[in-house]
Amino acid sequence: MENLVIELSRYIIIILTVIYTLYGFTVFRNSDKTRQNSIFRKQTVIIYMIHVICYALLYLATKNIKILYLYAAELILFVIISVIYRIVYRNLSRLLLN
C-alpha cells in the first residue's frame, strides 16, 4: 500500500509542478490586479500542497515523529516570512516571492 501511495504522489507532484509553472506564465497575460492576486494565491496553495505531500512521504518512509515537528517548524517559518515580506516590501512582486 505504501508503494502505491508513493507512486501516486510522484505523479501528483509532477502535475502540481506543471500547474504551478503554467500559472507563473499566465499571470503575465492579465493586467487585472485581482486576477493576478487570485493566481498568486493559487500558486501559494500549490506550494503548500507539494510541501505537505513531500513531508507525508518522508514520514511514511521513516515513521519518525521528528519529521512532523520539522514540517510544522518549516510551515510556520514560511508563513512568517511571507507575512514579513508583504509588510516590509509593499511593492513586492508576488511572483518572485512565490
Side-chain angles (χ1 to χ4, degrees):
M1 184 66 179
E2 283 184 25
N3 291 334
L4 179 64
V5 171
I6 291 170
E7 288 299 320
L8 285 176
S9 65
R10 287 180 185 171
Y11 293 111
I12 292 171
I13 290 171
I14 291 170
I15 291 169
L16 288 174
T17 304
V18 168
I19 293 170
Y20 177 86
T21 305
L22 288 174
Y23 279 146
F25 287 114
T26 59
V27 76
F28 294 119
R29 291 189 308 172
N30 298 316
S31 60
D32 183 27
K33 291 293 182 188
T34 58
R35 178 74 177 135
Q36 286 180 346
N37 287 334
S38 171
I39 291 173
F40 293 141
R41 273 188 246 105
K42 290 176 186 176
Q43 277 188 324
T44 304
V45 168
I46 290 173
I47 290 170
Y48 288 124
M49 288 172 61
I50 291 172
H51 194 240
V52 167
I53 292 170
C54 291
Y55 267 95
L57 291 175
L58 281 172
Y59 179 74
L60 284 175
T62 61
K63 303 284 195 256
N64 189 351
I65 195 75
K66 291 180 182 179
I67 296 291
L68 298 178
Y69 296 141
L70 181 62
Y71 168 71
E74 282 186 13
L75 184 64
I76 292 169
L77 180 70
F78 289 156
V79 170
I80 289 172
I81 287 173
S82 66
V83 168
I84 289 175
Y85 263 97
R86 289 182 195 159
I87 291 171
V88 172
Y89 302 110
R90 297 248 181 236
N91 295 328
L92 170 71
S93 171
R94 295 266 315 264
L95 186 62
L96 288 177
L97 179 63
N98 285 345

